Amino acid sequence: MNIKEILTRHNKDKLFLMGNEAAVRGALEAGVAVASTYPGTPSSEIGDVLSVLAHDAGMYFEFSINEKVALEVSAAAAASGLRSFTFMKHVGVNVAADSLVSLAYTSVRGGMVILTADDPSIFSSQNEQDNRHYARLANIPLLEASNPQEVKDLMKYAYQLSEEFEIPIILRTTTRVSHMRSVVEFGPLTKIKGKGHFDKDPQRFVPVPAAARIMHKNLVEKMDKITVLSNNSSLNQVYDQGGHIGIITSGSAFNYAMDVVEENELPVNILKLTFTYPFPEKKVLEFLENVERVLVVEEVDPVMEKEVLAVIGKHGLKKRVHGKLDGTLPMIYEFNPDIVLEGFGRMMGVELSHKGTSHTSIGLPNRPPTLCPGCPHRAAYFEVKQTAANLGIDDLIFPTDIGCYTLGIESPYEVADYLLSMGSSIGTSCGFSKATDQAVVSFIGDSTFFHAGIPPLINAVHNKNHFVLVILDNRTTAMTGGQPHPGLPVDGMGLEAPEMSIPDIVKACGVEFVETINPLNVKKSQETFEKALQFEGVAVVISQYPCMLIKSRAERGKNVIIQVQDDKCINCNTCVMELTCPAIYTRDDGKIRIDPLMCRKCNVCVQTCPEKAIRAKRIDKAGEEE
Amino acid sequence: MKPYPIYISGVGGQGIIKTSVILGESAMKKGLPVVVGEIHGMSQRGGVVSTQMKIGKSYSPLIEQGGADLLLAFEPLEALRAINMVNENSYVVMNTAPIYPFNIRQSEHPYPDLSTILGELQSQTKKVIAMDAEDIAKKAGHILSLNMVMLGGAAAVPAFPLDKEIIIESMQDNLPERSIPINMKAFEEGFRYCSQQIK
């Protein structure tokens, strides 16, 4: 499939799509005019596809500097009467939350959807928070999708709902839905409105206390009306298999429940909730009347389970509710069919589990993700550690940040000691440098620096902190797949854009020590780190070299091979143990070799070999490389 | 149709996601329901990658323990790691060329011998097909065609729900045009090798 088919295909056509791709088609079918995001797994592909399609579709799309700005861009578009779409990973909503909660008060004119991609089981995040709580915190409606088709269809429905009640809508997916692929049937596209007009109404759009009090009253009244809708919505559906046991479920958990019930022919009634906030109390009450007991199957927190218990308490029903709160199902991580089946058995007091499972008694080595061969972060980590060792600094704290470079947590680098969230490397460096006498070297990526690094850097200078900050500028947002950021001369739609200079910004923040290095030049980099570590105050080193995933394309023509010279190698293992590049390995006969297919010719091993036993050798065009 | 669950495992960068997209689109072309589950992001950087899919009526792509009809393993260690997905009737199509974890020297457990890996798998199911897919891919013209060798191997499995012609059509829709001749050769060689093994 060509990604452009998401735009060019017609009503009734079918494509095999990922949940994230289906969200884009939903936006196109709804006539979304403005879309904004900050990349974050598992939502990233939505932006990747929009960056390809938005221009042709007549939509404005941007990678915003962070999620709060992304939400604000879309909020203003919706206030101007356009349909707008902002999407982010679950923790991104934390960043946007300050504006989100007030947006519920000020409300919208054009429809607005906030898609939150939650990450149960923490495949690529720092936590598995359940963003259904945000619908309750902000008091706005919540829809939950189970598969790509639903993602697309719910997008369209969400815009109708949003415009009818002038309220933003949260659409929640989870990793298993965002990255699920299945067949999606298309609907017709809606023509996109080019420009809106902002009709002023300060009493509505400026929540000063007197106005905000009225806004809150209006919001509560609006949500009362929407509750009638959620109670009667065909999105909340009963799958009646007979029997007196009920399952209430939503999202990805519904898929597991259905597979388990159908495969094992369990006599269970399933209530699938999709329009889950305002909680459809009446619908649930009707469902409970026909069952003796109910199992609530949801990811991650017992959100609906507590709602069901409240319904039962309020109406004085005598029904058992099973789920996370009574230990029938686990309180953490994503579910799967096995977990749901076992939970069902636990509720029934019988042991239910699948076919005899195969195990191996052999201990298996694990395979953690690692920095790519030739990654410039590896060189910077090696240099910082060597320099600190040379200076005799052994008590060193490494606050880190969110990106590929968090993989510095692994041995032998061990340069990730403390992490909270995007930008926290700098804020926590301030704290460590005040609270201890230990040396502090912190790491942040280029995109993360723009996202949340600037205010804490100003804080650091103003409050007279003492630490080294290394900005690992690999000229892209690498971990999420290589999206642009304000430091690049290109924007989210592939158009030319002003390139913001990181050194200039750092200087403008009041930092007196600002130096830029090429981390692949080991000696010079170490000299710079040496000066930085000895500087009194905040020292910033910008370690600039493009991500090898981008760089490799340009590097192909380089007719060089990196080789170990066996006559010079003394097997000291510095390259294998200290550098730990995936391209360097020890052969069965004990000789060290460099895999020519993996090697990116960064030359760092050449420079760091104590015996000068690794060399770069020119080869012919038709050389040994292939 | 009763769902046909396929568990694909290997290492980031081996082309596993592309393989599952081709399989999924082939199923769609044949008019079969299909769901695929993938994991992106941090797990890609040289770490374990797996996708799970069910061809046939199913709501979730996640396979129960021991529920895979086919384990398509792009790497031997990752084949053994996925042993909990197979039962005595499962087919295993496995690439025998190892990729050592970068930290193997510091690892508590050594990388198991190939014979140990095969022995463990064969103790669960007799239907284990092992091939050096890396070698076949190189001979076909490029190591990166390894995923198409594995795809060819899958197509050779008895009762596999998709036929070669439909898979080839989807390959052409999903691979860069200039790479098609090598990938086609890789696919056919993988198919041929596994067909012979099964006889």
Side-chain angles (χ1 to χ4, degrees), chain A residues 21 100 250 354 464 501:
Chain A
E21 295 166 343
L100 171 66
S250 72
H354 268 280
K464 293 165 286 194
S501 154

Side-chain angles (χ1 to χ4, degrees), chain A residues 28 56 118 149 154 279 283 345-346 445 467 489 584 601 605:
Chain A
L28 293 167
D56 289 350
D118 291 9
Q149 181 77 53
L154 287 176
F279 193 70
K283 189 92 171 187
R346 210 168 285 130
F467 61 85
I584 307 177
K601 293 117 189 173
C605 60

Side-chain angles (χ1 to χ4, degrees), chain A residues 45 181 358 360 367 370, chain B residues 38 40 45 78 86 99 120:
Chain A
E45 295 83 4
R181 280 181 209 265
S358 313
T360 176
R367 192 189 295 276
T370 182
Chain B
E38 307 163 0
H40 297 210
R45 304 277 179 264
E78 298 318 316
V86 304
I99 297 174
E120 286 291 297

Side-chain angles (χ1 to χ4, degrees), chain A residues 1 45 179-182 256 259 262 338 354 357-358 360 362 365 367 369-370 478 573 576 580 586, chain B residues 25 36 38 40 45 57-60 64-65 75 78 81 83-84 86 99 102 105 116 120 124 174:
Chain A
M1 183 198 82
E45 295 83 4
H179 290 163
M180 176 195 264
R181 280 181 209 265
S182 62
Y256 312 136
D259 280 348
E262 289 197 346
D338 291 308
H354 268 280
T357 61
S358 313
T360 176
I362 296 168
R367 192 189 295 276
T370 182
N573 278 318
V576 177
T580 328
T586 312
Chain B
E25 287 197 8
V36 176
E38 307 163 0
H40 297 210
R45 304 277 179 264
K57 187 175 182 265
S58 180
Y59 288 87
S60 153
E64 314 81 61
Q65 299 280 311
E75 202 278 341
E78 298 318 316
R81 206 188 302 282
I83 194 170
N84 59 325
V86 304
I99 297 174
F102 79 95
R105 287 178 66 109
T116 310
E120 286 291 297
Q124 302 300 333
N174 281 286

Side-chain angles (χ1 to χ4, degrees), chain A residues 531-577:
Chain A
K531 282 189 281 173
L533 281 161
Q534 289 168 329
F535 184 78
E536 281 295 321
V538 178
V540 174
V541 178
I542 299 151
S543 173
Q544 193 186 71
Y545 196 83
C547 170
M548 280 294 177
L549 295 176
I550 302 170
K551 186 79 183 171
S552 62
R553 288 175 205 136
E555 291 281 88
R556 284 256 165 96
K558 230 177 160 187
N559 296 319
V560 165
I561 189 164
I562 311 289
Q563 280 180 334
V564 178
Q565 298 167 278
D566 290 338
D567 54 331
K568 291 193 181 163
C569 176
I570 58 161
N571 273 61
C572 69
N573 278 318
T574 304
C575 55
V576 177
M577 302 296 278

Side-chain angles (χ1 to χ4, degrees), chain B residues 146-167:
Chain B
L146 184 143
N147 56 344
M148 294 302 107
V149 177
M150 296 303 295
L151 186 60
V157 167
F160 190 71
L162 305 169
D163 33 78
K164 261 176 76 178
E165 291 65 34
I166 262 182
I167 298 174

Side-chain angles (χ1 to χ4, degrees), chain A residues 54-195:
Chain A
H55 186 265
D56 289 350
M59 181 194 296
Y60 173 76
F61 167 66
E62 71 171 45
F63 285 113
S64 306
I65 200 163
N66 62 35
E67 293 87 351
K68 181 169 183 283
V69 173
L71 181 124
E72 289 158 355
V73 167
S74 280
S80 308
L82 298 178
R83 287 191 167 184
S84 71
F85 179 34
T86 188
F87 48 97
M88 53 200 72
K89 68 181 294 171
H90 58 334
V91 288
V93 181
N94 299 337
V95 178
D98 202 359
S99 288
L100 171 66
V101 177
S102 298
L103 175 65
Y105 279 30
T106 59
S107 75
V108 298
R109 282 180 174 138
M112 177 171 172
V113 172
I114 301 140
L115 183 147
T116 168
D118 291 9
D119 190 21
S121 278
I122 322 178
F123 290 99
S124 47
S125 304
Q126 63 269 39
N127 71 34
E128 60 173 347
Q129 69 183 48
D130 186 334
N131 274 7
R132 294 179 299 169
H133 294 295
Y134 271 115
R136 288 157 172 87
L137 179 67
N139 204 17
I140 54 182
L142 171 69
L143 305 172
E144 293 183 59
S146 297
N147 58 51
Q149 181 77 53
E150 281 187 14
V151 172
K152 184 195 79 71
D153 294 343
L154 287 176
M155 283 285 289
K156 267 173 92 171
Y157 174 69
Y159 282 99
Q160 291 165 17
L161 185 66
S162 175
E163 261 166 30
E164 187 184 341
F165 290 93
E166 300 197 325
I167 194 166
I169 310 292
I170 296 180
L171 173 56
R172 184 214 193 204
T173 62
T174 55
T175 302
R176 289 293 178 185
V177 177
S178 310
H179 290 163
M180 176 195 264
R181 280 181 209 265
S182 62
V183 181
V184 177
E185 185 177 325
F186 286 6
L189 296 170
T190 301
K191 198 174 170 340
I192 292 169
K193 224 162 121 182
K195 291 280 176 192

Side-chain angles (χ1 to χ4, degrees), chain A residues 102 105-106 202-212 215:
Chain A
S102 298
Y105 279 30
T106 59
Q203 290 306 308
R204 173 169 172 184
F205 289 115
V206 185
V208 292
M215 291 178 197

